Amino acid sequence: MKRNYEKVKAYSASRNQKKLAIVFLTPWIIGFIAFNLYPIVTTFCYSFTKYNLFQAPQWVGLKNYFTLFTSHEFYLSLFNTLYYVIFGVGLQLILALATAILLNLNVKGKSIFRSIYFIPSLMPPVAASLLWVWLLNPKYGLINTFLRFLHLNEPLWLISAEWTKPAIILMSLWGIGSTMVIFLAGLGDIPHVYYEAVEIDGGGAWSKFKNVTWPMLSSITFFQLISGMIAGFNIFTQTYIISQAAADKSSLGGIKNSLLFFAVNIYQEGFSYLKFGYASALAWIMLLIILIFTLIIFKTSKKWVYYRGE
Amino acid sequence: MVISKKRKFLQYFLLCLVGAFFLFPFLWLLDTSLKNDAQIFKFPPDWIPNPVMFSNYKDALHAIPFLHYTGNTVKIVFFAVLGNLISAPMIGYAFAKLHWRGRNKVFILVLATMMLPFQVTMIPLYSMYVKLGWINTIAPLVVPDFFGKAFFIFLMRQFFLTIPEEMSQAARIDGASEFRIYWNICLPLAKPAVVSVGLFAFIWSWTDFLGPLIFLTQSDKWTISIGLSQFTTSHGLDWKLLMAGATMFMLPMIILFFIMQKTFIQGINTSGLKE
């Protein structure tokens, strides 16, 4: 009798939970349809049309995709974006991990150093970009003043096509604070006995990193790699500000289009030239490339990502 | 374990060297914001501004309608934060604590939307907002926040999962309704996560650039992000005013960081996919 009563109670609890779940999830469902599903499907449809926002979209079939695959700008923006994602995001992760390891050492004043390393990542992208345009000023900027002091080569940075991308990567390294903090949390979770075991076996610092730190951090690294890559594909604000601050404001892609990234290209084709159909085709190709990259990372992750408890 | 003095010295040396890379751009920002043109273009540069030009800050306020833009930004930030504070805990709770069929499969959809670049959705959204008459209003920048942002839902779900189920069970035996269990038990326990959501929503909304750039075309509706970027076009490149403006723009965040340092770091850690 009592067991039956509990069963009935559990049943009504789960029914009440379902009712509340429906109430709680309704906003998400509406939002998902309105702000995600509808736009993705619509972008896909627009990509087969000529559309300038003022007239109804006109069906043009695969024309946008043909134009895209024969366009010099498309390949250039793809190259620039991959350059930034591979070197920029790669360096960001390596440097964030290295600074996290440095901060995890047993030293005094750790929290002061942590704050100093972290604060730049709070800087609004617009303000950070403006600051770096000034820092990288070839004549009066801090960076070249410093290089001059060391009698080193002084690049022209944002006004020479070959230095713009390294410049923007340098800029991005300044804001690795939040990535570093996540690594730092992961390092704090590694049990000390693991390191002691390596010491007993006579292993040094490199052996500790290779056999303990790296495998224990691999699931965090994996997450950071995926989110870093997606953020890398989205790079926009920095280029926009740099090209606005440049003397020649004709293109959003910076000097000789050396900063024409994928997202910049989409914005320019859509909102500057009002070619929304073509911009939609670009957006879908960008989505596909991100998907392919994500899948590749997922596939290879089985080889290097280690989950505790496995 | 004895660590040699040499090694200790090397550690501090490295910490300071990396610290210089993070710190010096800031000092340069402050430095420039307090100089006059003659000093800015002096060669080699002096570090100490003389005279100290506090007037740059006053001038920056008038070079662009800085306070007006600040007002616009504050309005957007207020509603964006409010929206996320209402929606994220609710939706995160439904994914963590309420039992319904297909819960984990639907959650994958939430994660998928986190990976969807804004560039892919912005064109249809723009034309949708044109039809709704939302362009040049704050609606496109705040309404989506009331329907839940994937990252915040994820953050709340992770946190709710750490609250033991026994808590809810005990309340259920005492006859509490499901909503009361959420409102009076789980939500108060999730306060650190809720604060993180508020903080991140604040930062994102305060610093957002692409959203206002697209959806706010009339200059009297602009936010500080857009206003600052206009410094580069309408006033040439007046570095001292620009740097003063940039300093004021980031001040609220630095202050917030020092007040809520712990919450900040914790919030980021929660988002780092720790089990």
Side-chain angles (χ1 to χ4, degrees):
Chain A
M1 185 60 202
K2 205 183 167 217
R3 274 182 70 183
N4 247 344
Y5 173 71
E6 271 176 1
K7 256 188 196 165
V8 169
K9 223 180 159 188
Y11 174 72
S12 78
S14 78
R15 253 189 47 183
N16 289 337
Q17 284 192 22
K18 251 184 225 160
K19 269 190 214 156
L20 192 68
I22 291 168
V23 175
F24 276 9
L25 285 171
T26 308
W28 180 76
I29 295 167
I30 297 170
F32 176 73
I33 294 169
F35 304 116
N36 292 296
L37 198 61
Y38 161 79
I40 302 183
V41 174
T42 314
T43 310
F44 186 65
C45 298
Y46 283 167
S47 75
F48 300 103
T49 65
K50 197 179 157 197
Y51 181 39
N52 66 3
L53 214 64
F54 304 109
Q55 289 150 340
Q58 254 181 312
W59 182 263
V60 292
L62 286 172
K63 191 173 157 259
N64 288 329
Y65 289 95
F66 282 125
T67 317
L68 191 153
F69 284 117
T70 50
S71 140
H72 172 64
E73 269 87 28
F74 168 73
Y75 292 104
L76 190 63
S77 71
L78 187 60
F79 170 78
N80 289 340
T81 310
L82 290 182
Y83 185 110
Y84 178 74
V85 167
I86 291 166
F87 295 110
V89 177
L91 271 173
Q92 285 163 29
L93 284 182
I94 293 168
L95 215 80
L97 181 57
T99 47
I101 290 172
L102 194 61
L103 276 183
N104 200 42
L105 295 171
N106 194 18
V107 287
K108 273 185 202 142
K110 244 196 274 193
S111 69
I112 297 169
F113 282 112
R114 191 177 64 181
S115 298
I116 290 174
Y117 291 13
F118 179 72
I119 285 177
S121 65
L122 284 175
M123 187 125 173
V126 171
S129 307
L130 288 168
L131 170 60
W132 276 86
V133 172
W134 176 228
L135 284 165
L136 292 168
N137 184 299
K139 204 160 165 213
Y140 304 104
L142 179 68
I143 306 281
N144 276 7
T145 306
F146 181 66
L147 292 176
R148 203 171 303 136
F149 176 72
L150 295 177
H151 296 284
L152 288 170
N153 207 14
E154 294 173 42
L156 291 173
W157 300 114
L158 297 172
I159 46 178
S160 71
E162 60 267 32
W163 280 100
T164 44
K165 281 190 280 287
I168 218 164
I169 288 171
L170 186 67
M171 250 169 97
S172 79
L173 293 180
W174 193 58
I176 54 167
S178 43
T179 315
M180 176 200 76
V181 169
I182 296 175
F183 276 130
L184 202 52
L187 285 171
D189 279 353
I190 301 175
H192 224 269
V193 284
Y194 290 6
Y195 289 115
E196 281 157 18
V198 177
E199 261 168 41
I200 289 166
D201 290 344
W206 173 247
S207 168
K208 279 183 197 168
F209 177 77
K210 201 184 123 204
N211 296 313
V212 181
T213 311
W214 181 251
M216 294 300 280
L217 285 182
S218 59
S219 62
I220 293 178
T221 312
F222 172 66
F223 172 74
Q224 306 259 56
L225 183 62
I226 301 248
S227 50
M229 178 201 69
I230 293 170
F233 268 99
N234 278 311
I235 183 167
F236 175 81
T237 306
Q238 293 85 331
T239 336
Y240 186 92
I241 298 293
I242 288 167
S243 60
Q244 288 282 301
D248 164 37
K249 295 185 178 77
S250 58
S251 162
L252 284 179
I255 298 288
K256 291 185 187 155
N257 271 336
S258 58
L259 292 178
L260 186 75
F261 294 110
F262 226 118
V264 178
N265 200 17
I266 295 173
Y267 176 86
Q268 184 165 258
E269 293 292 344
F271 291 91
S272 304
Y273 307 149
L274 297 180
K275 291 195 229 163
F276 286 97
Y278 182 64
S280 298
L282 279 173
W284 254 86
I285 296 290
M286 172 169 160
L287 186 62
L288 284 181
I289 293 174
I290 291 179
L291 265 179
I292 291 168
F293 266 68
T294 311
L295 281 179
I296 291 173
I297 296 173
F298 258 99
K299 278 265 186 296
T300 61
S301 75
K302 289 193 183 109
K303 286 193 184 131
W304 60 272
V305 176
Y306 162 87
Y307 290 99
R308 254 175 271 191
E310 232 177 46
Chain B
M1 204 165 63
V2 184
I3 298 173
S4 67
K5 269 193 174 159
K6 216 168 141 190
R7 198 164 144 198
K8 206 82 206 169
F9 174 78
L10 190 75
Q11 286 176 3
Y12 276 108
F13 178 74
L14 269 174
L15 274 168
C16 292
L17 196 72
V18 179
F21 171 68
F22 287 111
L23 191 62
F24 272 92
F26 264 117
L27 296 179
W28 190 246
L29 170 79
L30 283 177
D31 201 46
T32 309
S33 76
L34 293 170
K35 282 177 172 174
N36 60 27
D37 276 333
Q39 290 178 302
I40 286 175
F41 299 113
K42 198 179 157 194
F43 200 82
D46 293 335
W47 271 99
I48 310 296
N50 180 33
V52 183
M53 301 289 288
F54 286 114
S55 59
N56 288 343
Y57 284 80
K58 219 174 81 196
D59 295 344
L61 287 180
H62 299 294
I64 59 168
F66 201 94
L67 295 177
H68 181 75
Y69 292 159
T70 308
N72 290 344
T73 314
V74 167
K75 208 160 49 177
I76 292 169
V77 168
F78 174 78
F79 286 107
V81 171
L82 182 73
N84 284 308
L85 286 183
I86 295 171
S87 62
M90 257 166 60
I91 302 166
Y93 186 78
F95 280 108
K97 289 269 158 191
L98 299 173
H99 295 274
W100 44 281
R101 256 208 327 201
R103 189 174 73 169
N104 293 334
K105 280 182 190 137
V106 177
F107 188 65
I108 292 174
L109 272 183
V110 176
L111 292 181
T113 61
M114 207 154 89
M115 300 191 171
L116 189 70
F118 179 58
Q119 276 77 15
V120 176
T121 55
M122 70 182 180
I123 292 164
L125 285 178
Y126 185 82
S127 72
M128 181 170 102
Y129 296 147
V130 169
K131 280 172 203 148
L132 289 169
W134 283 9
I135 300 299
N136 282 320
T137 72
I138 67 167
L141 300 167
V142 302
V143 170
D145 295 286
F146 285 85
F147 294 90
K149 283 243 188 299
F151 177 74
F152 296 140
I153 296 171
F154 173 74
L155 207 142
M156 286 309 307
R157 173 188 178 262
Q158 298 306 94
F159 198 90
F160 278 129
L161 283 177
T162 63
I163 299 174
E165 191 58 36
E166 285 79 21
M167 295 263 195
S168 318
Q169 281 306 349
R172 227 162 258 143
I173 287 164
D174 290 346
S177 72
E178 289 297 326
F179 183 77
R180 271 203 70 175
I181 295 171
Y182 164 71
W183 189 254
N184 288 356
I185 295 170
C186 291
L187 197 58
L189 285 172
K191 214 176 118 195
V194 175
V195 174
S196 298
V197 167
L199 267 178
F200 282 113
F202 175 87
I203 295 174
W204 284 2
S205 177
W206 185 264
T207 62
D208 185 20
F209 180 68
L210 186 54
L213 178 72
I214 294 173
F215 300 129
L216 304 172
T217 46
Q218 269 168 21
S219 60
D220 65 313
K221 299 286 192 320
W222 280 346
T223 60
I224 320 182
S225 268
I226 305 294
L228 266 193
S229 82
Q230 295 305 313
F231 251 121
T232 58
T233 44
S234 49
H235 297 271
L237 280 175
D238 193 333
W239 291 111
K240 55 186 194 307
L241 297 191
L242 245 169
M243 294 301 131
T247 308
M248 287 189 281
F249 181 31
M250 62 175 306
L251 211 58
M253 247 159 311
I254 301 285
I255 294 171
L256 215 61
F257 171 75
F258 280 109
I259 296 173
M260 314 190 87
Q261 201 174 351
K262 262 215 173 110
T263 319
F264 250 108
I265 307 276
Q266 253 172 20
I268 290 174
N269 291 347
T270 321
S271 67
L273 251 187
K274 294 214 305 176
E275 49 289 58

